[in-house]
Amino acid sequence: MAQANPSGRPARAAPRRVRGPARALLAMLLTALVVGGAVPYVSGSGRAYLSYLVLAEQEDAAGTARAGAETRAAGGQVVQEYPQIGVVLAYATGGFADKLRARPGIAAVGTTRTEPVVAPPRLLDGAGDFTAGTDHARRSSADRQAGSGTATVPDPAEGDAWNLAMLGAAGARAGDTSTGVRGPTGAAAPTADALHKVLVAVLDSGVDDTHPDLRAAVDPKASVSCADGRPDARSGSWRPDPGVSESGHGTHVAGIVGATRDGHGVTGVAPGARIAAVRLLGPLGQYYAENIVCGMLWAADHGAKAINNSYFADPWKYNCPEDRDQAALIAAVGRASAYAQRKGAVVVASAGNDGQDLGAARTDERSPNDRVSGPARFRYLGTECIRLPGELPGVVTVTAVNRDGHPSGYSNYGRGRVSLAAPGGDPDGGPQSAIVSDWPGGQYAALAGTSMAAAHVTGAVAVAAALHPDYGSGPLAALLAGTAAAGCPSGPYACGDRQYFGAGLLALPR
């Protein structure tokens, strides 16, 4: 059954907020962390800690050192350094942020969560090195876990791939070992060798690289977990945690990007491209800003040509610059995105599934989503409040269309706020109207959303990079925009309606 929801991610139960005496608060926090599988946090002083991103004015290793020194002087504990962009991740209690904001050399400080934890994450062997990349052993098929709460579908045997046909991809045929991609006018496809030289990163809930469609696609040397803001390159760290809701989402996205073309299952937009599986989803079911920063820096330093972001940054659906904490999160994720683009990666993001105009005032009735109980705040938002990372400078933000080419009703949109449209599917039309892709445990699922649309664009970047290996981030993004505009149809909801389509409907580049 096709599934979608307004968050752009499979639904998860809202956690409960705890109020009352401090002892009761800490007891409930500990219980919640244990249930959520947050083992790295369950030890320490029993005090309530928040996580913070501390940004130095200087965006380099020297700035990072300054941020770290000032953090420690203010009573914080540095958990991870991001020397590429002059940022550190710290845990602290009390009035830490106010103390630090007044220190020289500090540009911004912001808490990344609204609910505390009992202790900073403890040390993990293999964590912290952004250059790590070693051979990893694969788990056996007995270790595969299927996600819960999502209906699976039979093996589609690479049939009825309407989403690929919409892009101009050749139809899949059993036993056909070609790449199966072509330009919109039948131009020559990139060779398998050329595609294999291209690395794309899937920043998501984790990827099941034991899935038959993904065994040859996922590159273990380039894969990692950033689930607590630290790069953990231990074997299998990038795989989804079946105990966390929506954990199959990243496997589904990865299948759209680059599933192997072999006559079984599904075929990705760029079969043969290598995938860096970068797990962001933490044990509490959140995509915190430090996870995103870690993932983008890892992907950029490992040579990714595209970085797929089919999520929004928790705990705020939209981050507003007038709030000092949220302004710091915008700046930190913005630095990481800019760094990745300078390193040659096209940063791709989903537009979101709220049916909202990103270029207009709107409301937010769901934030913060890491609260333990109680209702979300009802916020009236101006256009300065942005969705992270999709509305950052230079990011290719993707809206969704249905099988008929019309904009999907759930898709966010906005003139000047979105870049391209791509197949996202209809959640109410059954599997034939949604996007069928891989699911953990060797299974398949039909989902619909801008998450799926973004994955198509990431695959198309891989195709473009294989055809034009000398292109950097800007030329690759421009090539996709130009190809999309050239292939736009006329009529109602045509690509000329820029608030829904941006430059146009995605087509595989030449």
Side-chain angles (χ1 to χ4, degrees):
M1 180 176 68
Q3 300 186 357
N5 71 82
S7 73
R9 309 193 299 239
R12 57 174 178 249
R16 298 186 299 276
R17 180 182 296 276
V18 179
R19 302 185 185 278
R23 181 172 297 180
L25 169 64
L26 292 172
M28 288 300 292
L29 282 170
L30 181 60
T31 300
L33 289 166
V34 172
V35 171
V39 176
Y41 296 96
V42 184
S43 64
S45 63
R47 301 165 66 191
Y49 286 80
L50 288 174
S51 51
Y52 296 86
L53 287 174
V54 181
L55 289 73
E57 292 176 352
Q58 198 168 328
E59 299 183 25
D60 56 16
T64 301
R66 178 65 176 268
E70 296 293 352
T71 292
R72 296 181 186 94
Q77 178 176 328
V78 175
V79 170
Q80 181 63 48
E81 296 182 343
Y82 308 112
Q84 303 94 324
I85 58 173
V87 177
V88 301
L89 169 64
Y91 279 71
T93 61
F96 169 77
D98 288 335
K99 293 178 187 176
L100 199 52
R101 286 177 180 132
R103 299 297 299 167
I106 300 301
V109 182
T111 181
T112 68
R113 63 180 74 215
T114 67
E115 289 294 337
V117 293
V118 296
R122 63 172 179 246
L123 292 176
L124 293 174
D125 291 338
D129 184 1
F130 280 100
T131 62
T134 58
D135 289 322
H136 301 287
R138 303 292 184 102
R139 289 192 301 181
S140 69
S141 60
D143 291 320
R144 297 183 216 148
Q145 297 287 339
S148 60
T150 298
T152 57
V153 299
D155 183 340
E158 297 183 344
D160 191 29
W162 65 268
N163 51 312
L164 299 185
M166 183 176 284
L167 308 186
R173 298 177 185 274
D176 184 352
T177 58
S178 69
T179 61
V181 299
R182 58 177 171 81
T185 60
T191 65
D193 286 344
L195 270 173
H196 188 68
K197 292 177 182 178
V198 177
L199 179 72
V200 295
V202 174
L203 276 56
D204 214 290
S205 62
V207 177
D208 179 9
D209 59 340
T210 70
H211 194 291
D213 280 349
L214 296 170
R215 287 173 187 158
V218 174
D219 183 349
K221 292 183 179 181
S223 297
V224 74
S225 171
C226 281
D228 62 8
R230 301 175 296 175
D232 178 2
R234 294 176 300 170
S235 177
S237 63
W238 54 85
R239 297 186 182 119
D241 180 353
V244 180
S245 64
E246 74 182 74
S247 62
H249 185 271
T251 302
H252 194 276
V253 167
I256 296 170
V257 173
T260 303
R261 180 181 172 85
D262 59 4
H264 302 283
V266 299
T267 300
V269 175
R274 291 179 297 118
I275 294 174
V278 181
R279 179 185 167 198
L280 301 188
L281 188 66
L284 299 182
Q286 303 291 328
Y287 293 82
Y288 285 123
E290 63 264 30
N291 306 13
I292 301 169
V293 168
C294 170
M296 284 201 184
L297 297 180
W298 173 276
D301 284 346
H302 283 74
K305 297 300 290 185
I307 302 176
N308 191 87
N309 303 272
S310 290
Y311 58 85
F312 66 87
D314 296 311
W316 305 100
K317 179 173 281 292
Y318 298 99
N319 285 269
C320 301
E322 62 267 23
D323 180 285
R324 290 191 295 178
D325 288 313
Q326 294 171 37
L329 305 189
I330 294 171
V333 178
R335 287 187 185 186
S337 174
Y339 176 83
Q341 291 174 54
R342 290 195 301 271
K343 296 279 283 188
V346 179
V347 180
V348 181
S350 55
N353 298 349
D354 298 294
Q356 293 183 327
D357 183 351
L358 299 176
R362 69 199 86 98
T363 60
D364 175 14
E365 303 173 30
R366 305 184 61 202
S367 301
N369 62 12
D370 66 343
R371 64 193 185 280
V372 180
S373 73
R377 303 178 193 176
F378 187 91
R379 302 193 297 165
Y380 289 100
L381 306 177
T383 57
E384 76 281 359
C385 299
I386 65 171
R387 177 183 167 95
L388 286 177
E391 292 186 82
L392 290 169
V395 173
V396 176
T397 304
V398 188
T399 63
V401 298
N402 294 333
R403 186 168 184 158
D404 60 9
H406 291 171
S408 302
Y410 56 77
S411 180
N412 287 348
Y413 56 94
R415 190 178 301 274
R417 298 298 184 103
V418 299
S419 308
L420 293 169
D426 179 358
D428 300 318
Q432 68 275 12
S433 296
I435 308 296
V436 176
S437 186
D438 301 322
W439 197 252
Q443 300 188 73
Y444 305 89
L447 303 180
T450 57
S451 288
M452 290 69 246
H456 287 84
V457 172
T458 296
V461 174
V463 174
L467 291 170
H468 304 280
D470 56 327
Y471 279 18
S473 173
L476 286 172
L479 175 61
L480 291 190
T483 305
C488 279
S490 58
Y493 294 107
C495 300
D497 195 343
R498 303 242 177 229
Q499 66 175 330
Y500 293 107
F501 288 87
L505 180 62
L506 178 68
L508 288 180
R510 295 176 279 179

